Amino acid sequence: MEILIYENLNQIQKKEILRRPAVKAKDEISKIVEEIIQDVKKRGDEALIEQALKFDKVTISSIKISQDSIKNASKRIDKELKKAIKLAFENIKKFHEAQIFKKIKLETTKGVKCELLTRPIEKVGLYIPGGLAPLFSTVLMLAIPAKIAGCEKIVLASPAKINDAVLFCANLCGVDEVYQMGGAGAIAALAYGTQSVEKVDKIFGPGNAFVTEAKARVSADIEGADIDMQAGPSEVLVIADEYANAQFVASDLLSQAEHGADSQVLLVCLSENFAQKVNDEVQKQLENLARKELASQSIVHSKIIVAKNLEQSLEISNAYAPEHLIIQTQKPRELLSGIKHAGSVFLGAYSPESMGDYASGTNHVLPTYGLTKTHSSLNLADFSKKMTVQELSVKGFKRLGKSVAILAAAEALDAHKNAVELRLKSLKEK
């Protein structure tokens, strides 16, 4: 990993070292995704079955997975894995149940009652990628809050052949229907519906460049579906002082690097000596990883930045706005108040990112690519929406009437003014 002394850099260089690898849908990807979406809109299930053979190399006869198949898959899961999944389930459930919105109701003026209520999104689609790593943990992260929020229809899509653990988690979380479909075609089916797939209102979940491009397209179409967020490659920034364990720090950097070649990991530490220790440890641990090739490609565009103190470390972190922020310092909680932008924060030597990815209870679906400056980590609120209510008594209406009429007149909205003055006149006549 490249080691850089932050104080030796000019302003342009400081910005450059925090630049993420370019993420851009190439013209070729855009064209392919558009063709796939139009094909699914036109031919529905038939197109999805052909895509399963073409992209996933699996022959299927139907899109929907039967309940018997889901139950049989659950029987094949190792007991220890089931036990671990259920522990994660309980922790995630507890944390998200604590986020249940409590309605707001108050009188802004005597006789003027205002309320803020929440209602679940009716139909949600959860996308779980296939590929090298079956992300069954993402089923828990998406389906548990959807269920707690009270979504009426929860469906899940994943490329054929769906991993048994994914089906087990779907069943455990109470998912209504599971579809064996993947990529841009799955996103199109969820957004527009097919013979077997019911159209949803909002789509959640990560995916490759084709999935990301498809999500962007359907969310821009008024007839499509909303999405959770545009997710770029995974990333982590670690802040470490001289008391940190170099072995632990290296393992945290690599746990993110193994996600993919375009993942980015950054270490901000306080000395060149510690930087070199971590760098050596990264190379040592890298040799024993099953996904060594992917992680190695990620490490190429990752960096170690030496800051002059912890205050400057926070400055660097806030400028980068990481998806995951790990703080391995002697007193990590003391830095928490200085953190402005991060998707999820991990405090201390024994809070590795892996805990949040699986079982601590927080959600692992997080904004990336600097979007933590404006976006939150996925939470219960994402599966619902808010609506306001107002109710005025006669006395409350009279107290506000004259002021509202003046405001409407000042904006030259006569009908707004009339809606108030006609009522005021009626009250006077009574």
Side-chain angles (χ1 to χ4, degrees):
M1 295 174 71
E2 186 180 9
I3 299 174
L4 300 153
I5 311 299
Y6 197 67
E7 282 293 287
N8 294 346
L9 306 176
N10 60 37
Q11 290 303 314
I12 293 173
Q13 290 170 326
K14 285 176 180 178
K15 284 184 179 180
E16 190 60 34
I17 65 168
L18 297 180
R19 191 185 301 278
R20 288 157 169 88
V23 176
K24 197 174 177 182
K26 295 179 181 176
D27 291 341
E28 186 181 357
I29 290 178
S30 297
K31 184 181 177 183
I32 292 170
V33 168
E34 180 59 25
E35 289 173 355
I36 289 171
I37 290 174
Q38 293 306 321
D39 192 26
V40 171
K41 287 175 74 173
K42 183 179 179 181
R43 298 194 298 134
D45 287 2
E46 187 182 351
L48 293 172
I49 289 169
E50 286 182 12
Q51 288 167 22
L53 182 60
K54 181 178 180 180
F55 300 119
D56 304 313
K57 312 302 179 191
V58 178
T59 301
I60 59 174
S61 57
S62 63
I63 305 302
K64 192 182 295 186
I65 300 286
S66 70
Q67 286 302 312
D68 284 343
S69 295
I70 293 172
K71 287 175 184 175
N72 289 335
S74 297
K75 291 175 185 175
R76 294 191 291 266
I77 300 294
D78 175 77
K79 287 183 180 178
E80 286 300 309
L81 177 57
K82 278 187 182 180
K83 187 177 176 181
I85 287 173
K86 286 177 180 178
L87 173 63
F89 174 91
E90 290 301 328
N91 285 348
I92 296 164
K93 183 168 175 280
K94 284 176 191 173
F95 187 70
H96 288 79
E97 280 179 338
Q99 300 169 30
I100 293 173
F101 177 77
K102 296 171 181 63
K103 76 173 183 177
I104 297 168
K105 185 176 181 180
L106 73 153
E107 275 193 326
T108 54
T109 297
K110 194 165 179 62
V112 180
K113 294 178 182 176
C114 293
E115 300 173 57
L116 184 64
L117 307 178
T118 184
R119 294 290 184 268
I121 294 171
E122 272 189 68
K123 300 172 186 176
V124 296
L126 317 179
Y127 184 76
I128 310 300
L132 296 174
L135 300 181
F136 57 85
S137 59
T138 302
V139 180
L140 303 178
M141 297 294 174
L142 298 177
I144 291 172
K147 200 72 177 176
I148 294 169
C151 298
E152 293 179 22
K153 186 86 171 181
I154 304 170
V155 303
L156 183 149
S158 192
K161 175 178 183 281
I162 302 179
N163 182 274
D164 287 345
V166 169
L167 294 175
F168 172 72
C169 289
N171 189 51
L172 179 66
C173 296
V175 169
D176 296 306
E177 292 178 0
V178 178
Y179 306 122
Q180 48 184 347
M181 57 185 190
I187 301 304
L190 291 171
Y192 301 105
T194 71
Q195 297 90 333
S196 299
V197 181
E198 190 168 354
K199 172 180 166 54
V200 301
D201 301 310
K202 189 172 182 179
I203 300 168
F204 297 80
N208 59 20
F210 294 92
V211 169
T212 301
E213 175 68 8
K215 285 175 72 177
R217 284 178 177 267
V218 302
S219 65
D221 182 358
I222 195 69
E223 294 181 356
D226 191 19
I227 62 171
D228 50 357
M229 62 184 81
Q230 282 289 10
S234 299
E235 58 198 33
V236 67
L237 186 146
V238 179
I239 294 176
D241 62 13
E242 294 303 292
Y243 298 96
N245 183 314
Q247 193 175 36
F248 291 0
V249 171
S251 69
D252 287 336
L253 295 171
L254 287 169
S255 69
Q256 199 60 39
E258 73 174 352
H259 270 301
D262 54 0
S263 296
Q264 187 173 43
V265 302
L266 298 176
L267 167 63
V268 181
C269 60
L270 304 182
S271 75
E272 288 184 76
N273 181 52
F274 186 82
Q276 194 56 57
K277 277 185 186 177
V278 173
N279 200 21
D280 293 343
E281 189 62 38
V282 164
Q283 298 308 316
K284 181 181 175 182
Q285 292 184 29
L286 188 59
E287 291 302 313
N288 299 315
L289 296 181
R291 298 172 69 125
K292 175 186 172 182
E293 188 177 337
L294 280 177
S296 297
Q297 292 176 59
S298 169
I299 291 298
V300 168
H301 51 249
S302 297
K303 300 174 179 67
I304 299 176
I305 302 168
V306 180
K308 65 179 180 181
N309 52 36
L310 289 176
E311 186 179 352
Q312 190 174 71
S313 297
L314 284 175
E315 176 191 322
I316 294 167
S317 177
N318 286 329
Y320 184 71
E323 176 190 18
H324 304 92
L325 172 59
I326 300 174
I327 302 179
Q328 292 196 44
T329 60
Q330 193 175 26
K331 296 179 180 178
R333 186 160 285 278
E334 290 185 358
L335 299 186
L336 190 58
S337 61
I339 298 165
K340 295 178 181 177
H341 317 297
S344 195
V345 181
F346 302 79
L347 299 177
Y350 294 93
S351 304
E353 179 218 318
S354 311
M355 291 296 173
D357 270 359
Y358 292 104
S360 66
T362 61
N363 208 292
H364 77 202
V365 179
L366 306 167
T368 61
Y369 221 68
L371 287 177
T372 60
K373 290 186 177 181
T374 54
H375 289 62
S376 306
S377 58
L378 194 77
N379 59 79
L380 196 66
D382 291 295
F383 294 85
S384 61
K385 72 272 186 186
K386 305 288 188 296
M387 64 182 183
T388 55
V389 178
Q390 48 265 298
E391 182 182 12
L392 282 69
S393 67
V394 171
K395 288 183 179 178
F397 174 78
K398 288 168 78 173
R399 286 190 178 97
L400 280 187
K402 186 178 179 181
S403 294
V404 171
I406 290 169
L407 293 168
E411 290 192 345
L413 295 173
D414 291 343
H416 282 66
K417 182 183 72 170
N418 289 342
V420 174
E421 289 189 337
L422 286 170
R423 286 172 170 81
L424 288 172
K425 183 180 178 183
S426 172
L427 289 170
K428 281 184 181 180
E429 289 173 353
K430 286 182 181 178

